[in-house]
């Protein structure tokens, strides 16, 4: 309450023109298929979306903030050929994936939202995906890797290409310009595409995708890259958590039930692609990390994402083989993961998902 306002009763918006636009009624706002004014931020129907935007802004950083000097030495003098293989292929996969993520949120998902508080966070997410792409490029440039070779790797390595193809096919479905979300078939297609994006692409493939490099970081190798990826992981943890909240909200508002066969197919296809990818990047296990370890963690994380949207666990009994991954994501202030910069810079609240 501002001190110049002595009236404690909330004021009703005044309408001076009875023929003109009506004030926005918060109950009329919807995630999709809403008809309220998309340019009017408040009143908020989804205040949690605004909170995500506030928290995202507390994780502000650029790749130039992090010292990469030791990584240059490590890469050229300390990594074994197997470790180089892991490092390079993880970067090759991630850099293509983050462009795909940016395009999906910015071009396919955001335009379908009919509440501006959702779009505001997604606008921030688009920027963050671009920032992630810059980060990989910064690592590639700093280590003086062959850019043409690294960026083309996803095209010529079938096991990397397969993951990108699965993502392209599932995400392209939501990019169709004639998609009409009032049509039940289109709505199902969109919700499955968004579920894949939030639960698998960001929630598993990104979330778990940094682990092989964290395994190097935990042994004191490539620590600058590891720190860069910790910042990215923190963004991604918010992205998939937000995405799953939006999916839940759409399921409730539109009264949709997911097709269990389509969901099962999504998990099976994603697991097969991840297994093949893990078998390739870790064809020789590195100290403390193996393909089996990576795939098991995928299954464990997938179970969690499924529960978040009220689905049964796709891989019952999967074990949490890398519990340290959650610590990397939450990066609470009291834990000094940041050895190359001032930790107080990060002030974001911890998240639950
Ligand atoms: Fe990203
Ligand atoms: Fe993301």
């Amino acid at each position: 309450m501002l001190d110049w306002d002595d009236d404690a009763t909330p004021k009703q918006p005044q309408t001076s023109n009875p023929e003109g636009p009506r004030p926005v009624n918060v109950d009329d706002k919807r995630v999709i298929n809403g008809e309220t004014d998309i340019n009017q931020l408040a009143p908020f129907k989804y205040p949690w979306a605004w909170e995500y935007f506030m928290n995202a802004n507390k994780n502000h950083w650029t790749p130039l903030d992090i010292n990469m000097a030791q990584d240059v030495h490590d890469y050229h003098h300390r990594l074994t050929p197997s470790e180089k293989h892991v490092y390079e292929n993880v970067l090759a996969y991630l850099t293509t994936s983050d462009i795909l993520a940016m395009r999906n949120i910015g071009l396919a998902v955001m335009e379908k939202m009919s509440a501006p508080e959702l779009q505001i966070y997604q606008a921030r997410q688009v920027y963050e995906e671009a920032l992630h792409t810059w980060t990989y490029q910064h690592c590639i440039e700093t280590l003086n890797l062959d850019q043409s070779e690294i960026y083309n790797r996803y095209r010529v390595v079938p096991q990397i290409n397969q993951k990108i193809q699965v993502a392209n096919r599932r995400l392209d479905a939501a990019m169709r310009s004639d998609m009409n979300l009032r049509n039940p078939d289109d709505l199902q297609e969109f919700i499955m595409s968004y579920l894949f994006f939030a639960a698998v692409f960001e929630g598993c493939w990104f979330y778990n995708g940094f682990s092989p490099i964290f395994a190097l970081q935990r042994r004191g190798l490539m620590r600058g890259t590891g720190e860069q990826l910790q910042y990215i992981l923190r963004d991604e943890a918010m992205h998939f958590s937000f995405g799953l909240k939006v999916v839940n909200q759409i399921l409730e508002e539109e009264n949709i039930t997911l097709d269990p066969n389509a969901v099962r197919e999504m998990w099976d296809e994603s697991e097969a692609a991840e297994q093949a990818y893990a078998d390739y990047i870790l064809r020789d296990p590195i100290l403390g990390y193996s393909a089996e370890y990576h795939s098991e963690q995928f299954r464990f994380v997938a179970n969690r994402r499924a529960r978040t949207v009220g689905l049964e666990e796709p891989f019952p009994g999967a074990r949490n083989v890398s519990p340290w991954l959650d610590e990397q994501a939450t990066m609470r202030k009291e834990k000094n993961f940041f050895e190359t910069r001032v930790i107080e810079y990060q002030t974001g609240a911890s998240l639950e998902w």
Side-chain angles (χ1 to χ4, degrees), residues 37-58:
D37 189 340
I38 191 67
N39 293 317
Q40 182 180 320
L41 179 62
F44 290 117
K45 171 126 179 228
Y46 312 106
W48 48 265
W50 188 250
E51 287 297 312
Y52 270 79
F53 180 63
M54 294 288 121
N55 275 328
N57 280 282
K58 293 171 186 166

Side-chain angles (χ1 to χ4, degrees), residues 98 101-102 105 125 128-129 132 197 201-202 206 232 235-240:
D98 251 306
M102 175 188 74
I105 280 292
Q125 183 177 346
E128 288 175 352
E129 307 298 14
H132 301 169
F197 183 69
F201 192 72
E202 297 199 294
F206 267 121
I232 296 180
D235 289 342
E236 293 303 336
M238 282 196 271
H239 295 175
F240 77 72

Side-chain angles (χ1 to χ4, degrees), residues 28-36 112-114 182 254:
D28 294 338
K29 291 176 90 171
R30 291 165 70 100
V31 172
I32 54 169
N33 292 331
E35 292 178 350
T36 52
K112 295 183 178 61
M113 300 292 113
S114 52
R182 294 184 192 280
E254 304 292 322

Side-chain angles (χ1 to χ4, degrees), residues 166-167 170-171 192-201 205 266 270:
V166 168
R170 288 184 173 273
L171 300 179
M192 280 306 300
S193 177
Y194 200 2
L195 176 68
F196 168 79
F197 183 69
V200 175
F201 192 72
W205 286 358
M266 176 187 81
S270 307

Side-chain angles (χ1 to χ4, degrees), residues 188-221:
Q188 275 285 346
E189 204 172 354
F190 175 66
I191 200 74
M192 280 306 300
S193 177
Y194 200 2
L195 176 68
F196 168 79
F197 183 69
V200 175
F201 192 72
E202 297 199 294
C204 294
W205 286 358
F206 267 121
Y207 188 81
N208 196 32
F210 308 118
S211 301
I213 290 179
F214 291 147
L216 295 175
Q217 182 195 25
R218 285 161 61 80
R219 290 169 39 219
L221 295 166

